[in-house]
């Protein structure tokens, strides 16, 4: 449907898992010993795949339905997973939060929710500068556990290729935990004792929130009764995994061909690329282009309609439903003005895409003390505006992309407990971006469910 441009047409004939190497690749670590890196990548190519091609295609079909307004996607997890923080209880808390929020959103939106965790591979981070300076000492920045380590020493900050193998092993371990939770029946995590609700007493408009929660939990009890002797039968829902496909050597090594000749990234169901690596003429887009997986790309407030059209043409030339997810992350103050023209540009092309809203990355602030944070009300505000703007354009907002932790962290401000800057030091664990904690995240899901109809109607 798109008349391919000369470069795109040329590129289309030449995709291979390593064809990205002929394009500019941003945000790649500087390894001191290229031979050591090459040996690790050879070893990685012999490691087992982490997911199956069949499940990635299943997810693509779900995303195609979400695009048509028949499902809603909740993509959620850490900004950066850590190797030393991925035991079974940790994964359980993360999946419990995902399950609970999905349950609440299903109620509010009256749609099944597709659960996509930022999990089992979210180990590499793009950074805005290459170096970090303290007291006159400059060292390379921390780029995620698959590259280096956060301590401010030259040794810790050295890019170590061995960590790519560790990333594969930690991803496999997290997946093992996820499967163990699924075998035990993920609906276990929806039992009353797993919900953290003390914050409710402090919440503004407490009665509305409580009434909705009572309804959600009552429905769950009823479903469990119906399920009877087959616990989990009604509530079993798959959790798909996703991560930022940043380190292209790693992603290439986990790219495998099926019997039909299609290439899949089998490190994750949904590889996505971030704002800093989303150039239509860049290596990351080139890499994603040839995969049979569903793929996703972040879209910022500065994207122009023509850039976005070029990206969509490149990543979804056949206009296949479910293939391409666009995650807008504009900031609460810019979304209103910037999103509409992009929606219109794609509508004019008849482009089939799924839109998600990431209300986190456009709302990051740095406090005078240097701590990065985000305000609960900015996050909620961007989501509200996103529903309104999509509705106004006859477009469908098909889901959310959130950074949230199942732990009781203190990284974002506000929410019912009214977290203040002075509270951030109490349990600030993220090495990169601030996450909603489990109470703030659950509150967000409840507030969305209560108000989504009103937001859509103010269009
Ligand atoms: C992220 O999601 O952690 C991220 C780096 O996003 P963005 O590319 O939108 O800044
Ligand atoms: Co982030």
């Amino acid at each position: 449907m798109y008349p391919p441009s000369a470069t795109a047409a040329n590129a289309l004939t030449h995709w291979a898992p390593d064809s990205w190497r002929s394009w500019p690749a941003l945000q790649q670590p500087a390894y001191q010993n290229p031979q050591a890196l090459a040996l690790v990548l050879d070893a990685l190519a012999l490691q087992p795949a982490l997911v199956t091609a069949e499940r990635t295609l299943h997810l693509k079909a779900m995303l195609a339905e979400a695009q048509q307004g028949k499902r809603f996607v909740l993509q959620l997890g850490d900004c950066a997973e850590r190797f030393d923080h991925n035991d079974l209880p940790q994964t359980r808390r993360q999946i419990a939060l995902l399950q609970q929020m999905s349950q609440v959103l299903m109620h509010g939106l009256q749609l099944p929710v597709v659960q996509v965790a930022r999990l089992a591979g979210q180990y590499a981070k793009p950074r805005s500068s290459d170096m970090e300076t303290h007291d006159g000492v400059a060292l390379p920045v921390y780029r995620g556990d698959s590259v280096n380590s956060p301590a401010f020493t030259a040794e810790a900050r050295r890019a170590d290729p061995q960590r790519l193998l560790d990333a594969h092993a930690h991803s496999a371990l997290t997946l093992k935990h996820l499967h163990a939770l699924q075998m035990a029946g993920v609906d276990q995590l929806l039992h009353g004792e797993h919900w953290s609700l003390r914050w409710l007493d402090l919440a503004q408009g407490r009665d509305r929130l409580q009434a909705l929660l009572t309804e959600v939990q009552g429905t769950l009890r009823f479903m469990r009764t119906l399920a009877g002797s087959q616990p989990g039968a009604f509530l079993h829902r798959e959790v798909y995994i996703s991560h930022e496909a940043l380190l292209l050597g790693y992603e290439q090594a986990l790219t495998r061909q099926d019997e039909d000749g299609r290439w899949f990234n089998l490190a994750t169901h949904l590889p996505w690329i971030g704002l800093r690596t989303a150039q239509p003429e860049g290596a990351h887009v080139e890499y994603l282009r040839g995969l049979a997986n569903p793929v996703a790309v972040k879209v910022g407030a500065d994207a122009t309609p023509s850039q976005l059209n070029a990206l969509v043409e490149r990543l979804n030339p056949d206009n296949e439903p479910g293939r391409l997810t666009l995650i807008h992350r504009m900031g609460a103050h810019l979304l209103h003005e910037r999103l509409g023209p992009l929606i219109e540009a794609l509508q004019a092309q008849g482009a089939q895409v799924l839109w998600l809203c990431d209300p986190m990355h456009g709302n990051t602030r740095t406090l005078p003390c240097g701590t990065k944070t985000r305000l609960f009300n900015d996050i909620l505000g961007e989501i509200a505006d996103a529903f309104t703007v999509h509705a106004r354009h006859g477009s469908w907002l098909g889901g959310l992309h959130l950074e949230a932790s199942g732990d009781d962290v203190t990284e974002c401000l506000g929410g019912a407990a009214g977290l203040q800057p002075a509270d951030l030091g109490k349990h600030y664990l993220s090495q990169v971006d601030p996450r909603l904690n489990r109470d703030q995240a659950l509150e967000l899901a409840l507030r969305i469910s209560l108000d989504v109809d009103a937001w859509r109607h103010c269009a």
Side-chain angles (χ1 to χ4, degrees), residues 47-183:
Q47 292 293 311
L50 295 170
V51 301
T52 65
E54 186 200 4
R55 299 319 288 168
T56 70
L57 293 176
H58 199 254
L59 174 60
K60 201 196 276 185
M62 300 280 127
L63 298 177
E65 290 186 10
Q67 202 173 303
Q68 293 159 7
K70 296 181 186 158
R71 294 180 187 274
F72 193 76
V73 178
L74 179 59
Q75 186 178 11
L76 169 148
D78 296 319
C79 180
E81 286 180 278
R82 302 298 314 276
F83 288 169
D84 63 0
H85 204 58
N86 74 344
D87 57 6
L88 179 59
Q90 162 69 20
T91 306
R92 181 188 291 121
R93 290 192 293 274
Q94 205 66 0
I95 299 304
L97 179 65
L98 184 60
Q99 292 283 327
Q100 291 167 11
M101 290 177 73
S102 300
Q103 208 60 41
V104 169
L105 289 170
M106 279 204 281
H107 223 83
L109 292 147
Q110 294 288 301
L111 287 173
V113 170
V114 183
Q115 305 183 106
V116 183
R118 277 175 70 123
L119 190 86
Q122 181 57 32
Y123 289 120
K125 297 310 299 172
R127 303 311 302 265
S128 22
S129 4
D130 288 343
M131 303 298 283
E132 184 179 337
T133 305
H134 287 296
D135 301 327
V137 179
L139 290 176
V141 285
Y142 170 62
R143 290 184 175 276
D145 277 8
S146 58
V147 177
N148 56 8
S149 131
F152 194 72
T153 66
E155 177 49 26
R157 293 295 175 87
R158 185 177 60 84
D160 177 0
Q162 196 61 35
R163 284 178 165 269
L164 296 171
L165 283 164
D166 296 342
H168 178 273
H170 281 282
S171 301
L173 182 66
T174 306
L175 276 173
K176 211 165 131 184
H177 297 154
L178 187 57
H179 291 153
L181 293 169
Q182 282 179 325
M183 292 299 283

